[in-house]
Each structure stands twice: as structure tokens, then as C-alpha cells.
Amino acid sequence: MTDESARASRPNGVAFLLAQTGAHAAGLFAERISALGVTPGDVGLLRMVAAAPGRSQRSLAEELGVVASRVVVLVDGLERRGLLQRRRDPANRRNHALHLTAAGAEVMAGVRALRPAHEDEICAGLDEAQRHQLAELLGIIAGRQGLAPGVHPGYRAAPQRSSRDEGERDQGSPQLPRP
Amino acid sequence: MTDESARASRPNGVAFLLAQTGAHAAGLFAERISALGVTPGDVGLLRMVAAAPGRSQRSLAEELGVVASRVVVLVDGLERRGLLQRRRDPANRRNHALHLTAAGAEVMAGVRALRPAHEDEICAGLDEAQRHQLAELLGIIAGRQGLAPGVHPGYRAAPQRSSRDEGERDQGSPQLPRP
DNA sequence: TATTGTTATACTCTATAACTATA
DNA sequence: TATAGTTATAGAGTATAACAATA
């Protein structure tokens, strides 16, 4: 079984390194912004509202790939903390038009202010040319994979396997979360 | 507020691209291995056991940065599906020595077999030289950040903010999960 | 009737604490 | 007494379904 253990020991390659370093970068970012009292999810939602003030919760739910009731909870939290405001849309009074408050804009400014240090921490060990190279290569991947600029996952529910689909390890459909 | 919306629209740079593409790569990997009936967490745990057969649950908990009772649940699931086996360690009968079953080794072989296609999918659009470049740059980052080869996060609990620390947005200690 | 948002509810994940058995 | 593992329990997160208001 020494053979087995040797073979199993290290998955490597670009895909794994990406997942590893990406999770690390996301974790450090979460730590940094926690000083501002927000999570990456909060920031993403605030950013989307800032980019298109007045948009509806429904539209956010669709772009986030999340159910409407989930947005209710997220917006509840942000409104309770005074970062976001719901206003009834006079044109269509079913809609809640979302707007950043002054405090919300401040938080976003704070997040922006944190970014350079974060970037430097992640890129420590790379010179300027290497950073550009890396940014370019990652940009190619992001483009090829259809990832929108500025939007990242983390809202989708975890794979979620119920406790009763036991022992069925070889069925055909890999149940793609969203094709 | 057009100014604001313009400024808020796109966070960019290496750190963000890393988080974005890394989450994407991890998601695709999770989809692929779901055909084998396992999650990335399962695979990570199986890999660690394969690399050091007979290790204890406690040692796994420490390496994963997870509480012991969590490992009980994870191992329960893998044992129930026949991929892992608990054996009492005769030398110290408190320990459960963990071993892969034949089925578990098969699953790991299946995971390894999926890797090349996964790598190709992620690296689509990059030629061989670019892949090497990217792997090298990511390797530098992983090394600088102290990321162990073959180990990636995803076991740690989410940032987890309770519902009562409301409105306290400016305290000093960012509560680092693990320094 | 269809759509937006909300509430009620259930289920999963994960941690804390109490407990069992070994040492 | 200390350690490995387990069970019981509680909390957060998220989805589904029923509901209210508006169109």
C-alpha cells in the first residue's frame, strides 16, 4: 500500500493550485473586510446595488443564482445595519428599489481602500512583470470560462447531498447545479 | 451617484481573479467527482488516509482544522458507503486506525482519472508554455503563503457571524480564524 | 391570473458540551 | 486524571412552499 499512498499524496497542476490559492485569497479578503463588519457576500450584494441603484430584489436573486427568500434575509441584515435601504418603487409598487445609504457607500469605500494591501499580500514574491503576466493568464481563463468581470461565486448553495442517497456511486447524471 | 456606481462596478487585480477562477475550478471539480458519489471534502479525507494508512481521527481533525466530532460524521459517511474502514488499534485501543477499502481505493483511482480532463477544461485557451508559466507563478504564491502541497481549505467553518453583533462595524480585532 | 416580496417551515452543516472507553 | 471517540444538542444557513400585496 506504499504504492497507493505515494500516488495519492499530491494532486497537482494548475486547476488544483488555482482552487487552493483562490480559496486562500478569498479567506484573507474575508478576514480583512470583517474589520468593516461585512462578509464577502455583503460586499458583493452592496456592489451590485451600487452599480445599479434602484434595482429589485428579484433581479439580484437571479444574478446571484439564489432564491428570492434568500435575498430577503441578506437585505434584511444590510438594512438592519443601515447600509442599504428599501424604497417602494412608485412605478410598480410591488418592487422594492434598493439603494445604498451613506453608511453603505462608506463601507464600500473602506473595502476599496483595503484592496491594494490585499493585492500586495497575495502577490508577495512576484515582481511587477510577473503580476502582469499572472493577471493576463487568469484573465484568459476567466474569459474562456465565461466568468463575468467583478462577479464571483460564493452565493450558490453547497453541493448539498442528502443523507439518504447512500451507496449509489455510479449513476449517470452528475446533477449539475447550474449548466 | 453615477460616479459611485462607476467606481464600485469592478474589483479587479490578481487577488480577485484568483478567488474567482479558483472558486470556478473548485466548482467544476466538485461536479465531476459527484459522478463518483463523493464531495471534495470526501476526497481530501480519503487522500489523507491513503497517504498515511492507519492514522487516527484525532490527527485528521487537527490537520483539517476541524473539531473531532466533525470527523466522526465525515468518517461515518465514508464508512457507510464502504470507502473507509475503522479498525481498533491494538497498541492503543482508544484509537481508530483508518484504512481505505478496495472500493475507496477505486474511487481515488477514479478521481485521478478525472484530473487530466479537468485540467484541460480549466486551461482551455492556454498553450503549453502558458500553462507552465501559470503553474510556476501559482506555485510561488502557494509557497509564499505557506500552503502545503496537496492540501486545500474548504473544511474550515464559514466566517460565521452571529445575528446579534449588529451595527458594530468598527472594532479593532478582525478575529482571525487561525493565524 | 401573474409577479414581487415575505413568512413559515424543514433540512443540512457544524460546533459545543456531556458522555463512554480506554490509558 | 488525561485522551480518543461518540452522542446530544443547538445555532446558522439555505431552500421550498404557502401567503399577501400589487399589477
Side-chain angles (χ1 to χ4, degrees), chain A residues 157-165 175, chain B residues 38-42 66-67 69-71 73-74 77 80-81 154-158 160:
Chain A
Q160 204 84 323
R161 197 183 46 202
S162 86
S163 46
R164 62 196 103 64
D165 51 353
Q175 65 195 31
Chain B
V38 286
T39 66
D42 292 334
V66 146
V67 89
S69 63
R70 180 82 195 105
V71 176
V73 176
L74 291 171
R80 178 169 37 74
R81 285 176 281 158
Y155 299 94
R156 283 119 173 115
Q160 202 86 322

Short mmCIF file of all heavy atoms in Angstrom, two decimals, chain A residues 157-165 175, chain B residues 38-42 66-67 69-71 73-74 77 80-81 154-158 160, chain C residues 10-16, chain D residues 8-14:
data_model
loop_
_atom_site.label_atom_id
_atom_site.label_comp_id
_atom_site.label_asym_id
_atom_site.label_seq_id
_atom_site.Cartn_x
_atom_site.Cartn_y
_atom_site.Cartn_z
N ALA A 157 -25.57 27.59 -3.17
CA ALA A 157 -25.57 26.65 -2.05
C ALA A 157 -24.50 25.60 -2.27
O ALA A 157 -24.13 25.31 -3.39
CB ALA A 157 -26.93 25.98 -1.95
N ALA A 158 -24.00 25.06 -1.18
CA ALA A 158 -23.04 23.97 -1.27
C ALA A 158 -23.70 22.79 -1.96
O ALA A 158 -24.92 22.65 -1.93
CB ALA A 158 -22.55 23.58 0.13
N PRO A 159 -22.87 21.93 -2.57
CA PRO A 159 -23.36 20.77 -3.32
C PRO A 159 -24.55 20.06 -2.69
O PRO A 159 -25.40 19.56 -3.39
CB PRO A 159 -22.14 19.86 -3.37
CG PRO A 159 -21.00 20.81 -3.42
CD PRO A 159 -21.43 22.03 -2.64
N GLN A 160 -24.58 20.01 -1.37
CA GLN A 160 -25.77 19.54 -0.66
C GLN A 160 -26.18 18.12 -1.01
O GLN A 160 -27.03 17.91 -1.86
CB GLN A 160 -26.92 20.48 -1.04
CG GLN A 160 -28.01 20.52 -0.03
CD GLN A 160 -27.65 21.52 1.06
OE1 GLN A 160 -26.49 21.63 1.43
NE2 GLN A 160 -28.62 22.25 1.55
N ARG A 161 -25.59 17.15 -0.36
CA ARG A 161 -26.03 15.78 -0.60
C ARG A 161 -26.82 15.28 0.59
O ARG A 161 -26.32 15.26 1.71
CB ARG A 161 -24.83 14.88 -0.86
CG ARG A 161 -25.23 13.57 -1.50
CD ARG A 161 -24.00 12.73 -1.64
NE ARG A 161 -23.24 12.75 -0.39
CZ ARG A 161 -21.98 12.48 -0.32
NH1 ARG A 161 -21.31 12.21 -1.40
NH2 ARG A 161 -21.35 12.51 0.83
N SER A 162 -28.04 14.87 0.36
CA SER A 162 -28.88 14.43 1.47
C SER A 162 -28.34 13.14 2.04
O SER A 162 -27.56 12.43 1.42
CB SER A 162 -30.32 14.23 1.00
OG SER A 162 -30.48 12.93 0.48
N SER A 163 -28.79 12.80 3.25
CA SER A 163 -28.20 11.69 3.96
C SER A 163 -28.77 10.34 3.51
O SER A 163 -28.36 9.31 4.00
CB SER A 163 -28.43 11.86 5.46
OG SER A 163 -29.76 12.22 5.72
N ARG A 164 -29.70 10.36 2.60
CA ARG A 164 -30.29 9.07 2.24
C ARG A 164 -29.86 8.53 0.87
O ARG A 164 -30.14 7.39 0.53
CB ARG A 164 -31.81 9.13 2.35
CG ARG A 164 -32.49 10.11 1.45
CD ARG A 164 -33.92 10.38 1.91
NE ARG A 164 -34.06 11.65 2.61
CZ ARG A 164 -33.85 12.83 2.06
NH1 ARG A 164 -33.44 12.92 0.83
NH2 ARG A 164 -34.02 13.93 2.74
N ASP A 165 -29.15 9.31 0.07
CA ASP A 165 -28.69 8.74 -1.19
C ASP A 165 -27.37 8.01 -0.97
O ASP A 165 -26.33 8.38 -1.45
CB ASP A 165 -28.57 9.79 -2.30
CG ASP A 165 -27.77 10.99 -1.83
OD1 ASP A 165 -27.45 11.05 -0.64
OD2 ASP A 165 -27.48 11.85 -2.67
N GLN A 175 -25.86 15.52 -11.86
CA GLN A 175 -26.67 16.60 -11.28
C GLN A 175 -25.97 17.95 -11.23
O GLN A 175 -25.70 18.50 -10.16
CB GLN A 175 -27.12 16.20 -9.88
CG GLN A 175 -25.97 16.04 -8.87
CD GLN A 175 -26.46 15.29 -7.63
OE1 GLN A 175 -27.34 14.46 -7.70
NE2 GLN A 175 -25.88 15.60 -6.50
N VAL B 38 -18.81 11.28 -4.52
CA VAL B 38 -18.05 11.89 -3.43
C VAL B 38 -17.97 13.40 -3.59
O VAL B 38 -18.13 13.93 -4.69
CB VAL B 38 -16.61 11.31 -3.35
CG1 VAL B 38 -16.62 9.91 -2.79
CG2 VAL B 38 -15.95 11.35 -4.72
N THR B 39 -17.72 14.06 -2.49
CA THR B 39 -17.54 15.51 -2.47
C THR B 39 -16.05 15.82 -2.36
O THR B 39 -15.26 14.93 -2.02
CB THR B 39 -18.25 16.13 -1.27
OG1 THR B 39 -17.61 15.68 -0.08
CG2 THR B 39 -19.73 15.74 -1.24
N PRO B 40 -15.68 17.06 -2.63
CA PRO B 40 -14.27 17.43 -2.44
C PRO B 40 -13.78 17.13 -1.04
O PRO B 40 -12.64 16.70 -0.84
CB PRO B 40 -14.26 18.93 -2.73
CG PRO B 40 -15.40 19.13 -3.67
CD PRO B 40 -16.45 18.16 -3.22
N GLY B 41 -14.63 17.33 -0.05
CA GLY B 41 -14.25 17.01 1.32
C GLY B 41 -13.96 15.53 1.50
O GLY B 41 -12.97 15.16 2.13
N ASP B 42 -14.82 14.70 0.94
CA ASP B 42 -14.58 13.26 0.99
C ASP B 42 -13.22 12.92 0.40
O ASP B 42 -12.43 12.17 0.97
CB ASP B 42 -15.66 12.52 0.20
CG ASP B 42 -17.03 12.61 0.84
OD1 ASP B 42 -17.09 12.78 2.07
OD2 ASP B 42 -18.03 12.50 0.12
N VAL B 66 -10.49 21.08 12.10
CA VAL B 66 -11.89 20.78 12.32
C VAL B 66 -12.02 20.08 13.66
O VAL B 66 -11.06 19.49 14.16
CB VAL B 66 -12.39 19.88 11.16
CG1 VAL B 66 -13.42 18.90 11.61
CG2 VAL B 66 -12.90 20.75 10.02
N VAL B 67 -13.18 20.15 14.25
CA VAL B 67 -13.38 19.55 15.56
C VAL B 67 -13.55 18.04 15.43
O VAL B 67 -13.95 17.53 14.38
CB VAL B 67 -14.59 20.23 16.22
CG1 VAL B 67 -15.86 19.52 15.86
CG2 VAL B 67 -14.39 20.36 17.70
N SER B 69 -15.65 15.88 16.55
CA SER B 69 -16.97 15.34 16.24
C SER B 69 -17.32 15.50 14.77
O SER B 69 -18.13 14.75 14.22
CB SER B 69 -18.03 16.03 17.10
OG SER B 69 -18.10 17.41 16.82
N ARG B 70 -16.70 16.46 14.15
CA ARG B 70 -16.90 16.64 12.71
C ARG B 70 -16.33 15.46 11.93
O ARG B 70 -16.93 14.96 10.98
CB ARG B 70 -16.23 17.94 12.26
CG ARG B 70 -16.35 18.25 10.78
CD ARG B 70 -17.68 18.88 10.46
NE ARG B 70 -17.95 18.85 9.03
CZ ARG B 70 -18.80 18.02 8.46
NH1 ARG B 70 -19.46 17.14 9.18
NH2 ARG B 70 -19.01 18.06 7.17
N VAL B 71 -15.15 15.01 12.35
CA VAL B 71 -14.51 13.89 11.69
C VAL B 71 -15.36 12.63 11.87
O VAL B 71 -15.47 11.81 10.96
CB VAL B 71 -13.09 13.67 12.24
CG1 VAL B 71 -12.45 12.44 11.63
CG2 VAL B 71 -12.24 14.89 11.95
N VAL B 73 -18.54 12.42 11.89
CA VAL B 73 -19.60 12.47 10.88
C VAL B 73 -19.05 12.14 9.49
O VAL B 73 -19.64 11.35 8.75
CB VAL B 73 -20.26 13.86 10.87
CG1 VAL B 73 -21.30 13.96 9.76
CG2 VAL B 73 -20.89 14.15 12.21
N LEU B 74 -17.92 12.76 9.15
CA LEU B 74 -17.33 12.52 7.82
C LEU B 74 -16.97 11.05 7.64
O LEU B 74 -17.30 10.43 6.63
CB LEU B 74 -16.08 13.39 7.63
CG LEU B 74 -16.32 14.89 7.51
CD1 LEU B 74 -15.00 15.65 7.55
CD2 LEU B 74 -17.06 15.20 6.20
N GLY B 77 -19.94 8.72 7.21
CA GLY B 77 -20.47 8.69 5.85
C GLY B 77 -19.63 7.84 4.93
O GLY B 77 -20.16 7.04 4.15
N ARG B 80 -20.02 4.17 5.91
CA ARG B 80 -21.34 3.68 5.50
C ARG B 80 -21.37 3.36 4.02
O ARG B 80 -22.00 2.40 3.58
CB ARG B 80 -22.39 4.76 5.83
CG ARG B 80 -23.81 4.41 5.41
CD ARG B 80 -24.83 5.38 6.01
NE ARG B 80 -24.36 6.76 6.09
CZ ARG B 80 -24.25 7.57 5.06
NH1 ARG B 80 -24.56 7.16 3.85
NH2 ARG B 80 -23.83 8.82 5.21
N ARG B 81 -20.63 4.14 3.24
CA ARG B 81 -20.59 3.89 1.80
C ARG B 81 -19.48 2.89 1.42
O ARG B 81 -19.25 2.66 0.24
CB ARG B 81 -20.37 5.21 1.06
CG ARG B 81 -21.64 6.07 1.04
CD ARG B 81 -21.39 7.39 0.38
NE ARG B 81 -20.73 8.32 1.30
CZ ARG B 81 -20.02 9.38 0.91
NH1 ARG B 81 -19.88 9.64 -0.37
NH2 ARG B 81 -19.46 10.17 1.81
N GLY B 154 -11.62 24.51 2.69
CA GLY B 154 -12.94 24.00 2.39
C GLY B 154 -13.47 23.15 3.53
O GLY B 154 -14.61 22.72 3.51
N TYR B 155 -12.67 22.95 4.53
CA TYR B 155 -13.14 22.25 5.71
C TYR B 155 -13.46 23.23 6.82
O TYR B 155 -14.36 23.01 7.62
CB TYR B 155 -12.08 21.26 6.21
CG TYR B 155 -11.78 20.21 5.19
CD1 TYR B 155 -10.73 20.38 4.31
CD2 TYR B 155 -12.56 19.09 5.11
CE1 TYR B 155 -10.45 19.40 3.36
CE2 TYR B 155 -12.30 18.13 4.16
CZ TYR B 155 -11.25 18.29 3.29
OH TYR B 155 -10.99 17.35 2.35
N ARG B 156 -12.72 24.30 6.83
CA ARG B 156 -12.97 25.30 7.87
C ARG B 156 -14.39 25.80 7.80
O ARG B 156 -14.97 25.94 6.73
CB ARG B 156 -12.05 26.50 7.70
CG ARG B 156 -10.65 26.24 8.17
CD ARG B 156 -9.70 26.39 7.00
NE ARG B 156 -8.33 26.30 7.43
CZ ARG B 156 -7.53 25.31 7.04
NH1 ARG B 156 -7.97 24.35 6.27
NH2 ARG B 156 -6.29 25.28 7.43
N ALA B 157 -14.92 26.11 8.96
CA ALA B 157 -16.29 26.65 9.00
C ALA B 157 -16.32 28.01 8.32
O ALA B 157 -15.32 28.72 8.26
CB ALA B 157 -16.74 26.79 10.46
N ALA B 158 -17.46 28.36 7.77
CA ALA B 158 -17.64 29.68 7.18
C ALA B 158 -17.44 30.73 8.25
O ALA B 158 -17.62 30.46 9.45
CB ALA B 158 -19.01 29.79 6.56
N GLN B 160 -18.98 32.80 9.73
CA GLN B 160 -19.92 32.62 10.83
C GLN B 160 -20.10 33.85 11.71
O GLN B 160 -19.46 34.00 12.73
CB GLN B 160 -19.38 31.48 11.71
CG GLN B 160 -20.42 30.82 12.55
CD GLN B 160 -21.07 29.74 11.73
OE1 GLN B 160 -21.28 29.92 10.53
NE2 GLN B 160 -21.39 28.63 12.33
P DA C 10 -42.11 21.86 9.82
OP1 DA C 10 -43.16 20.82 9.82
OP2 DA C 10 -41.55 22.37 11.09
"O5'" DA C 10 -40.91 21.33 8.90
"C5'" DA C 10 -41.10 21.29 7.49
"C4'" DA C 10 -39.79 20.96 6.82
"O4'" DA C 10 -39.00 22.16 6.70
"C3'" DA C 10 -38.93 19.96 7.60
"O3'" DA C 10 -38.32 19.07 6.68
"C2'" DA C 10 -37.90 20.84 8.29
"C1'" DA C 10 -37.73 21.94 7.27
N9 DA C 10 -37.26 23.21 7.83
C8 DA C 10 -37.67 23.80 8.99
N7 DA C 10 -37.08 24.94 9.24
C5 DA C 10 -36.22 25.12 8.17
C6 DA C 10 -35.31 26.13 7.84
N6 DA C 10 -35.11 27.19 8.59
N1 DA C 10 -34.60 25.98 6.70
C2 DA C 10 -34.81 24.90 5.94
N3 DA C 10 -35.64 23.88 6.14
C4 DA C 10 -36.33 24.06 7.29
P DC C 11 -37.66 17.72 7.20
OP1 DC C 11 -38.48 16.61 6.67
OP2 DC C 11 -37.44 17.87 8.66
"O5'" DC C 11 -36.26 17.73 6.48
"C5'" DC C 11 -36.09 18.42 5.24
"C4'" DC C 11 -34.65 18.84 5.10
"O4'" DC C 11 -34.47 20.16 5.67
"C3'" DC C 11 -33.66 17.93 5.82
"O3'" DC C 11 -32.62 17.60 4.94
"C2'" DC C 11 -33.18 18.76 6.99
"C1'" DC C 11 -33.29 20.17 6.42
N1 DC C 11 -33.40 21.24 7.43
C2 DC C 11 -32.63 22.41 7.29
O2 DC C 11 -31.90 22.52 6.31
N3 DC C 11 -32.72 23.39 8.23
C4 DC C 11 -33.53 23.23 9.27
N4 DC C 11 -33.58 24.21 10.16
C5 DC C 11 -34.31 22.04 9.44
C6 DC C 11 -34.22 21.08 8.51
P DT C 12 -31.57 16.49 5.32
OP1 DT C 12 -31.61 15.48 4.25
OP2 DT C 12 -31.76 16.10 6.73
"O5'" DT C 12 -30.20 17.29 5.21
"C5'" DT C 12 -30.02 18.21 4.13
"C4'" DT C 12 -28.86 19.14 4.45
"O4'" DT C 12 -29.28 20.12 5.42
"C3'" DT C 12 -27.64 18.43 5.04
"O3'" DT C 12 -26.50 18.78 4.26
"C2'" DT C 12 -27.56 18.95 6.46
"C1'" DT C 12 -28.23 20.31 6.34
N1 DT C 12 -28.85 20.83 7.58
C2 DT C 12 -28.50 22.09 8.03
O2 DT C 12 -27.70 22.80 7.45
N3 DT C 12 -29.14 22.49 9.18
C4 DT C 12 -30.07 21.77 9.91
O4 DT C 12 -30.57 22.23 10.92
C5 DT C 12 -30.39 20.46 9.38
C7 DT C 12 -31.36 19.60 10.10
C6 DT C 12 -29.77 20.06 8.26
P DC C 13 -25.11 18.11 4.55
OP1 DC C 13 -24.36 18.07 3.28
OP2 DC C 13 -25.32 16.89 5.34
"O5'" DC C 13 -24.43 19.20 5.48
"C5'" DC C 13 -24.14 20.48 4.92
"C4'" DC C 13 -23.58 21.38 6.01
"O4'" DC C 13 -24.57 21.56 7.03
"C3'" DC C 13 -22.35 20.80 6.72
"O3'" DC C 13 -21.32 21.78 6.62
"C2'" DC C 13 -22.81 20.58 8.16
"C1'" DC C 13 -23.93 21.60 8.28
N1 DC C 13 -24.95 21.31 9.31
C2 DC C 13 -25.23 22.28 10.28
O2 DC C 13 -24.61 23.35 10.27
N3 DC C 13 -26.19 22.03 11.22
C4 DC C 13 -26.84 20.87 11.20
N4 DC C 13 -27.78 20.68 12.12
C5 DC C 13 -26.58 19.88 10.22
C6 DC C 13 -25.63 20.14 9.30
P DT C 14 -19.82 21.36 6.90
OP1 DT C 14 -18.94 22.26 6.14
OP2 DT C 14 -19.70 19.90 6.76
"O5'" DT C 14 -19.68 21.74 8.44
"C5'" DT C 14 -19.80 23.10 8.80
"C4'" DT C 14 -19.95 23.22 10.29
"O4'" DT C 14 -21.22 22.71 10.70
"C3'" DT C 14 -18.90 22.45 11.09
"O3'" DT C 14 -18.03 23.37 11.70
"C2'" DT C 14 -19.71 21.67 12.12
"C1'" DT C 14 -21.08 22.32 12.04
N1 DT C 14 -22.19 21.42 12.37
C2 DT C 14 -23.08 21.79 13.35
O2 DT C 14 -22.99 22.84 13.96
N3 DT C 14 -24.08 20.89 13.60
C4 DT C 14 -24.27 19.68 12.97
O4 DT C 14 -25.20 18.95 13.28
C5 DT C 14 -23.31 19.35 11.95
C7 DT C 14 -23.42 18.05 11.22
C6 DT C 14 -22.33 20.22 11.70
P DA C 15 -16.77 22.91 12.60
OP1 DA C 15 -15.60 23.65 12.11
OP2 DA C 15 -16.75 21.44 12.67
"O5'" DA C 15 -17.17 23.48 14.04
"C5'" DA C 15 -17.74 24.78 14.14
"C4'" DA C 15 -18.41 24.97 15.49
"O4'" DA C 15 -19.65 24.21 15.52
"C3'" DA C 15 -17.58 24.48 16.67
"O3'" DA C 15 -17.54 25.46 17.70
"C2'" DA C 15 -18.26 23.20 17.12
"C1'" DA C 15 -19.70 23.41 16.69
N9 DA C 15 -20.31 22.13 16.32
C8 DA C 15 -19.88 21.24 15.38
N7 DA C 15 -20.61 20.17 15.27
C5 DA C 15 -21.61 20.36 16.22
C6 DA C 15 -22.71 19.58 16.60
N6 DA C 15 -23.00 18.40 16.05
N1 DA C 15 -23.50 20.06 17.57
C2 DA C 15 -23.21 21.25 18.12
N3 DA C 15 -22.21 22.08 17.84
C4 DA C 15 -21.44 21.57 16.87
P DT C 16 -16.58 25.23 18.95
OP1 DT C 16 -15.97 26.54 19.17
OP2 DT C 16 -15.75 24.03 18.74
"O5'" DT C 16 -17.56 24.89 20.17
"C5'" DT C 16 -18.84 25.50 20.21
"C4'" DT C 16 -19.59 25.06 21.45
"O4'" DT C 16 -20.40 23.90 21.13
"C3'" DT C 16 -18.72 24.64 22.64
"O3'" DT C 16 -19.38 25.05 23.82
"C2'" DT C 16 -18.65 23.13 22.51
"C1'" DT C 16 -20.03 22.80 21.95
N1 DT C 16 -20.08 21.61 21.07
C2 DT C 16 -21.15 20.76 21.18
O2 DT C 16 -22.06 20.92 21.97
N3 DT C 16 -21.11 19.69 20.31
C4 DT C 16 -20.14 19.40 19.37
O4 DT C 16 -20.22 18.42 18.66
C5 DT C 16 -19.05 20.33 19.31
C7 DT C 16 -17.94 20.13 18.33
C6 DT C 16 -19.06 21.38 20.15
P DA D 8 -27.67 9.91 21.28
OP1 DA D 8 -28.55 9.05 22.08
OP2 DA D 8 -27.84 9.96 19.82
"O5'" DA D 8 -27.76 11.40 21.85
"C5'" DA D 8 -27.03 11.75 23.03
"C4'" DA D 8 -27.41 13.15 23.50
"O4'" DA D 8 -26.38 14.09 23.12
"C3'" DA D 8 -28.71 13.72 22.93
"O3'" DA D 8 -29.29 14.55 23.92
"C2'" DA D 8 -28.24 14.47 21.71
"C1'" DA D 8 -26.90 15.03 22.18
N9 DA D 8 -25.89 15.16 21.13
C8 DA D 8 -25.65 14.31 20.09
N7 DA D 8 -24.66 14.69 19.32
C5 DA D 8 -24.22 15.88 19.89
C6 DA D 8 -23.20 16.79 19.55
N6 DA D 8 -22.40 16.61 18.50
N1 DA D 8 -23.03 17.87 20.32
C2 DA D 8 -23.84 18.03 21.37
N3 DA D 8 -24.84 17.27 21.81
C4 DA D 8 -24.97 16.19 21.00
P DT D 9 -30.71 15.33 23.62
OP1 DT D 9 -31.40 15.48 24.91
OP2 DT D 9 -31.41 14.70 22.48
"O5'" DT D 9 -30.22 16.77 23.18
"C5'" DT D 9 -29.28 17.44 24.02
"C4'" DT D 9 -28.81 18.72 23.37
"O4'" DT D 9 -27.83 18.43 22.34
"C3'" DT D 9 -29.92 19.52 22.68
"O3'" DT D 9 -29.94 20.80 23.27
"C2'" DT D 9 -29.50 19.56 21.21
"C1'" DT D 9 -28.00 19.36 21.31
N1 DT D 9 -27.35 18.80 20.10
C2 DT D 9 -26.24 19.42 19.61
O2 DT D 9 -25.76 20.42 20.11
N3 DT D 9 -25.69 18.83 18.49
C4 DT D 9 -26.16 17.69 17.85
O4 DT D 9 -25.59 17.25 16.87
C5 DT D 9 -27.34 17.10 18.42
C7 DT D 9 -27.92 15.87 17.81
C6 DT D 9 -27.86 17.67 19.51
P DA D 10 -31.10 21.86 22.97
OP1 DA D 10 -31.54 22.36 24.29
OP2 DA D 10 -32.07 21.29 22.02
"O5'" DA D 10 -30.30 23.03 22.25
"C5'" DA D 10 -29.02 23.40 22.77
"C4'" DA D 10 -28.33 24.31 21.77
"O4'" DA D 10 -27.73 23.51 20.74
"C3'" DA D 10 -29.27 25.29 21.07
"O3'" DA D 10 -28.64 26.55 20.96
"C2'" DA D 10 -29.50 24.64 19.71
"C1'" DA D 10 -28.15 23.98 19.48
N9 DA D 10 -28.18 22.86 18.56
C8 DA D 10 -29.10 21.85 18.51
N7 DA D 10 -28.87 20.96 17.57
C5 DA D 10 -27.71 21.41 16.97
C6 DA D 10 -26.94 20.91 15.92
N6 DA D 10 -27.25 19.81 15.24
N1 DA D 10 -25.84 21.60 15.56
C2 DA D 10 -25.53 22.72 16.23
N3 DA D 10 -26.19 23.29 17.25
C4 DA D 10 -27.27 22.58 17.57
P DG D 11 -29.50 27.83 20.65
OP1 DG D 11 -29.29 28.77 21.77
OP2 DG D 11 -30.86 27.42 20.25
"O5'" DG D 11 -28.77 28.43 19.37
"C5'" DG D 11 -27.38 28.71 19.41
"C4'" DG D 11 -26.85 28.77 18.00
"O4'" DG D 11 -26.88 27.44 17.44
"C3'" DG D 11 -27.69 29.65 17.08
"O3'" DG D 11 -26.92 30.79 16.72
"C2'" DG D 11 -28.01 28.78 15.86
"C1'" DG D 11 -27.21 27.52 16.08
N9 DG D 11 -27.91 26.30 15.75
C8 DG D 11 -29.04 25.81 16.34
N7 DG D 11 -29.43 24.68 15.82
C5 DG D 11 -28.51 24.42 14.83
C6 DG D 11 -28.41 23.34 13.93
O6 DG D 11 -29.15 22.37 13.82
N1 DG D 11 -27.33 23.47 13.08
C2 DG D 11 -26.44 24.51 13.11
N2 DG D 11 -25.44 24.48 12.23
N3 DG D 11 -26.51 25.53 13.95
C4 DG D 11 -27.56 25.41 14.77
P DA D 12 -27.52 31.85 15.75
OP1 DA D 12 -26.88 33.14 16.07
OP2 DA D 12 -29.00 31.73 15.73
"O5'" DA D 12 -26.97 31.35 14.33
"C5'" DA D 12 -25.56 31.29 14.13
"C4'" DA D 12 -25.26 30.78 12.74
"O4'" DA D 12 -25.79 29.46 12.59
"C3'" DA D 12 -25.88 31.63 11.62
"O3'" DA D 12 -24.90 31.84 10.63
"C2'" DA D 12 -27.04 30.79 11.13
"C1'" DA D 12 -26.58 29.36 11.43
N9 DA D 12 -27.65 28.43 11.72
C8 DA D 12 -28.64 28.59 12.64
N7 DA D 12 -29.48 27.58 12.70
C5 DA D 12 -29.00 26.70 11.75
C6 DA D 12 -29.45 25.43 11.33
N6 DA D 12 -30.52 24.82 11.83
N1 DA D 12 -28.73 24.81 10.36
C2 DA D 12 -27.65 25.43 9.86
N3 DA D 12 -27.14 26.62 10.18
C4 DA D 12 -27.87 27.20 11.14
P DG D 13 -25.30 32.68 9.35
OP1 DG D 13 -24.07 33.31 8.84
OP2 DG D 13 -26.48 33.50 9.70
"O5'" DG D 13 -25.75 31.58 8.30
"C5'" DG D 13 -24.78 30.67 7.83
"C4'" DG D 13 -25.38 29.80 6.75
"O4'" DG D 13 -26.38 28.93 7.34
"C3'" DG D 13 -26.11 30.59 5.65
"O3'" DG D 13 -25.66 30.09 4.41
"C2'" DG D 13 -27.59 30.30 5.90
"C1'" DG D 13 -27.53 28.93 6.55
N9 DG D 13 -28.64 28.63 7.44
C8 DG D 13 -29.13 29.42 8.46
N7 DG D 13 -30.12 28.88 9.11
C5 DG D 13 -30.31 27.65 8.48
C6 DG D 13 -31.25 26.62 8.74
O6 DG D 13 -32.13 26.60 9.60
N1 DG D 13 -31.09 25.55 7.87
C2 DG D 13 -30.14 25.48 6.87
N2 DG D 13 -30.14 24.37 6.13
N3 DG D 13 -29.26 26.44 6.62
C4 DG D 13 -29.40 27.49 7.45
P DT D 14 -26.00 30.89 3.10
OP1 DT D 14 -24.86 30.69 2.18
OP2 DT D 14 -26.46 32.26 3.43
"O5'" DT D 14 -27.22 30.08 2.53
"C5'" DT D 14 -27.04 28.72 2.15
"C4'" DT D 14 -28.36 28.06 1.96
"O4'" DT D 14 -29.06 28.00 3.21
"C3'" DT D 14 -29.30 28.82 1.00
"O3'" DT D 14 -29.46 28.06 -0.17
"C2'" DT D 14 -30.63 28.91 1.77
"C1'" DT D 14 -30.43 27.94 2.91
N1 DT D 14 -31.21 28.27 4.13
C2 DT D 14 -32.10 27.34 4.62
O2 DT D 14 -32.28 26.27 4.09
N3 DT D 14 -32.78 27.72 5.74
C4 DT D 14 -32.66 28.92 6.41
O4 DT D 14 -33.33 29.17 7.41
C5 DT D 14 -31.71 29.85 5.86
C7 DT D 14 -31.49 31.19 6.50
C6 DT D 14 -31.03 29.49 4.76
#
